[in-house]
Amino acid sequence: MSELSFKAAELDAGDQLAEVRSRFVLDTVSDHAADAAGVYLDGNSLGALPAAVPGRVEDVVRRQWGELRIRSWDESGWWTAPERIGDRIAPLVGAAAGQIVVGDSTSVNVFKALVGAVRLVEERGGDGRDEILVDATTFPTDGYIAESAARLTGHTLRAVTPGEVPAALSDRTAAVLLNHVDYRTGRLHDLPGLTSAVHAAGAVAVWDLCHSAGALPVGLDEHGVDLAVGCTYKYLNGGPGSPAYLYVRGDLQDRFDSPLPGWNSHAEPFGMRPAYTPAEGVRRGRVGTPDILSMLALEAALDVWDGVSVAAVRAKSLALTDFFLECVEAYVPEGRVESLTPVRHEERGSQIALRCSDAGDVMRLLIERGVVGDFRRPDVLRFGFTPLYVGFADVERAARVLGDVLASR
Ligand SMILES: *Cc1c(COP(=O)(O)O)cnc(C)c1O
């Protein structure tokens, strides 16, 4: 046993979250020889399947839909699922109940949040604010949507890196759209500091939590974030295409003016009135009929969080990424990869991004050997560390296989 695999065994033995892994469907060591079991390091793209989901989905389909049919809107709680599941996500992102609604994709929610943010500013007079700032390093969809939101609202869009935001803010800024963790590099941005800078400039802060929710503490309420969005299929394990969520801070809800006011957000949805009156509360973030099958799969997936503290998840996430960097240093030939992920814990999300020439081929070989991360053009290997089901022996093995692959090329 090498020194690092010995250390991995020790770290696994002391891991308080180790038993949570059994709540997921994963390759198990008993299925294969220990070294042939897969190591899944792509939970930052698609979380693994929680074991409770298939049975719940079967019940939703066979009993709730198959037998109760339309009665399930009331009797199975379908109608209220978006707010109910929002309240399940709330503690994971530091929000009190009643501020999160689940539904639609992240892209659609970015649109609702950003136009809603601009309208909050206009509603209080606008003060001539005609500019939206967007994270220049953002996941592309947010940038595309921001461009369209700016065009529709007659604002100018300016792309700046999160670090440049404080200097770019002015009395022209209406809203700022930022990613909490950079999807490419895994850099964690300073949500408390940037939110207060945005507020000091009189603007509204919109955060995209796709790569932070479920991986680290967010503290939406504590830090006074105005609006936020996030997906549920990454660290929240909701399944492919599971619905996203929208957070509207409680004291802003009665002024939140959604650009997509569907009948589900009407004060009286079954009144079938020609004129629109928005619902009270966060329900006004809804649009149309919710995607119940995906939404209830997500609800079942959230059971894995029972008794799990986000602080423990964060501590393990940092230990995993630290240990991965230590193993990469030991196993990977000198100079062959360069980490793009910050060394400082305060600036690190839950993934490690390694720049590597021929990264596409390297990732293909890793996947052939059971180590699943992903490749982001042009030259980045991404490895996501999901503390609920990744262990330290997985990390050691992934780095060792990476070292072998790189040494043999
Ligand atoms: C994954 C991700 C998205 C995905 O948007 P969808 O509409 O769910 O496809 C958006 N923004 C960020 C920052 C992401 O990481």
Side-chain angles (χ1 to χ4, degrees):
M1 211 170 172
S2 78
E3 204 179 308
L4 285 170
S5 46
F6 185 73
K7 182 169 178 184
E10 272 187 343
L11 288 166
D12 278 327
D15 174 13
Q16 289 171 21
L17 294 175
E19 62 86 21
V20 179
R21 182 186 172 100
S22 65
R23 302 179 191 177
F24 289 87
V25 176
L26 290 160
D27 302 350
T28 54
V29 178
S30 56
D31 288 341
H32 309 272
D35 246 23
V39 178
Y40 190 62
L41 300 180
D42 215 1
N44 53 336
S45 209
L46 177 66
L49 170 67
V53 169
R56 192 81 64 83
V57 169
E58 168 141 34
D59 178 64
V60 171
V61 172
R62 291 196 187 281
R63 188 181 58 85
Q64 298 184 12
W65 178 14
E67 296 170 25
L68 297 177
R69 291 180 284 271
I70 195 107
R71 291 166 54 189
S72 273
W73 283 104
D74 289 325
E75 291 175 27
S76 304
W78 289 358
W79 182 259
T80 50
E83 297 81 43
R84 181 177 71 243
I85 301 169
D87 284 345
R88 290 285 302 278
I89 294 172
L92 302 177
V93 292
Q99 301 177 101
I100 294 183
V101 70
V102 174
D104 311 310
S105 63
T106 305
S107 303
V108 170
N109 282 300
V110 167
F111 180 76
K112 292 183 223 170
L114 196 54
V115 175
V118 166
R119 288 180 174 181
L120 284 171
V121 172
E122 280 168 354
E123 194 258 358
R124 61 171 205 229
D127 338 316
R129 294 177 182 267
D130 62 355
E131 199 169 73
I132 296 172
L133 300 181
V134 66
D135 186 342
T137 59
T138 185
F139 186 90
T141 203
D142 300 51
Y144 307 153
I145 301 275
E147 202 277 327
S148 176
R151 201 143 47 89
L152 275 165
T153 58
H155 284 59
T156 305
L157 184 70
R158 197 140 68 92
V160 294
T161 64
E164 292 165 344
V165 163
L169 289 163
S170 73
D171 57 9
R172 288 185 55 188
T173 316
V176 183
L177 172 62
L178 290 161
N179 287 186
H180 195 193
V181 172
D182 186 304
Y183 78 100
R184 232 176 109 262
T185 62
R187 176 180 292 272
L188 170 65
H189 296 298
D190 176 12
L191 178 143
L194 289 168
T195 302
S196 48
V198 170
H199 288 165
V204 176
V206 183
W207 284 92
D208 184 325
L209 311 177
C210 280
H211 280 270
S212 57
L216 51 95
V218 177
L220 287 178
D221 288 353
E222 181 187 350
H223 304 303
V225 168
D226 301 292
L227 297 149
V229 302
C231 69
T232 61
Y233 49 77
K234 293 171 185 167
Y235 295 98
L236 297 177
N237 315 300
S242 58
Y245 56 90
L246 171 69
Y247 164 89
V248 183
R249 203 178 67 217
D251 62 303
L252 300 176
Q253 288 172 2
D254 62 350
R255 289 189 289 129
F256 177 70
D257 180 6
S258 172
L260 295 171
W263 74 289
N264 271 229
S265 66
H266 195 283
E268 217 191 321
F270 293 95
M272 303 293 166
R273 304 195 183 284
Y276 181 73
T277 311
E280 294 289 312
V282 77
R283 186 159 67 79
R284 63 171 71 175
R286 283 171 66 164
V287 184
T289 306
D291 32 14
I292 291 297
L293 299 185
S294 301
M295 199 168 285
L296 299 189
L298 165 64
E299 185 171 36
L302 290 169
D303 286 354
V304 298
W305 292 93
D306 287 353
V308 171
S309 88
V310 178
V313 166
R314 176 59 168 165
K316 182 174 172 188
S317 159
L318 289 170
L320 288 167
T321 50
D322 275 343
F323 187 53
F324 183 67
L325 290 172
E326 181 183 348
C327 293
V328 166
E329 170 112 15
Y331 293 140
V332 170
E334 180 88 33
R336 197 61 180 74
V337 299
E338 176 207 349
S339 175
L340 300 176
T341 307
V343 174
R344 294 178 59 225
H345 284 176
E346 310 84 274
E347 296 181 349
R348 193 190 300 165
S350 200
Q351 76 178 42
I352 297 292
L354 300 177
R355 178 177 280 149
C356 173
S357 58
D358 59 7
D361 289 339
V362 170
M363 186 50 73
R364 195 173 38 74
L365 293 168
L366 283 175
I367 291 170
E368 272 172 21
R369 295 194 49 187
V371 174
V372 179
D374 61 25
F375 162 56
R376 284 294 176 266
R377 271 169 218 293
D379 57 359
V380 176
L381 301 169
R382 283 197 328 170
F383 300 95
F385 297 86
T386 43
L388 299 189
Y389 55 81
V390 171
F392 294 89
D394 296 327
V395 168
E396 188 273 340
R397 177 160 175 260
R400 186 154 37 83
V401 172
L402 175 64
D404 287 354
V405 164
L406 290 173
S408 68
R409 285 173 64 78

